[in-house]
Amino acid sequence: MKLYFCSECGAYDFGNADLCLECQAPIPKDSWADVSDEDVTQLDYIEDFDPIEGLPTWEYEVIKLMGHANDQGPNDDDILEQTRIYNEHMLNRMGDKGWELVNIVPMGDKDGPRYGVFKRAWLDEFEE
Ligand SMILES: [Zn+2]
């Protein structure tokens, strides 16, 4: 089933609403995922956890990294160098904005593109 995610507050909904029911932010048209009943059960389970006062909360981003060795000729140094420069730039931009790279993972196909998993801490959750 299709689940739509709000990029502002993290709420999710089954309907294709233009605005988030929780925070009224516009929901991007491509911000959805096809999920199973098991996935929804897991999300509901997480929803029941409360944050703990005094501890940071974490925000995560998953961003596709450019390039993969199998896409290119094995000796194409120019393309490999451009890929390196792009990824280095992207990682540094994320670092500038407070995001720490915590993992690099494939999604599904282990030979497919790699995704960087970034996190950053929120310490002021309870001062709003
Ligand atoms: Zn929202």
Side-chain angles (χ1 to χ4, degrees):
M1 69 199 81
K2 261 189 177 185
L3 208 55
Y4 289 84
F5 295 92
C6 173
S7 53
E8 285 301 315
C9 72
Y12 52 88
D13 204 311
F14 295 103
N16 185 10
D18 291 331
L19 295 178
C20 174
L21 295 173
E22 302 264 334
C23 74
Q24 310 304 316
I27 294 185
K29 282 280 169 254
D30 58 355
S31 184
W32 62 274
D34 193 12
V35 299
S36 67
D37 284 346
E38 194 183 334
D39 296 329
V40 173
T41 302
Q42 184 164 266
L43 286 174
D44 286 344
Y45 178 70
I46 295 168
E47 223 37 43
D48 286 339
F49 290 132
D50 289 320
I52 296 167
E53 196 162 356
L55 290 184
T57 59
W58 304 103
E59 183 181 13
Y60 290 88
E61 278 284 336
V62 181
I63 291 181
K64 189 180 171 190
L65 299 171
M66 182 195 267
H68 188 256
N70 288 356
D71 298 338
Q72 297 138 10
N75 298 314
D76 198 332
D77 289 341
D78 281 351
I79 291 177
L80 287 176
E81 178 63 5
Q82 287 165 28
T83 301
R84 188 190 70 76
I85 287 170
Y86 170 87
N87 284 333
E88 186 176 81
H89 172 82
M90 190 271 283
L91 292 169
N92 274 315
R93 293 297 291 161
M94 289 297 280
D96 287 346
K97 294 174 190 303
W99 294 98
E100 178 190 9
L101 179 69
V102 293
N103 206 354
I104 295 176
V105 295
M107 297 281 171
D109 179 4
K110 70 177 172 57
D111 293 324
R114 295 298 194 269
Y115 291 79
V117 180
F118 296 83
K119 79 171 184 187
R120 70 180 174 187
W122 289 109
L123 295 163
D124 59 351
E125 183 79 10
F126 296 92
E127 291 163 15
E128 286 170 9

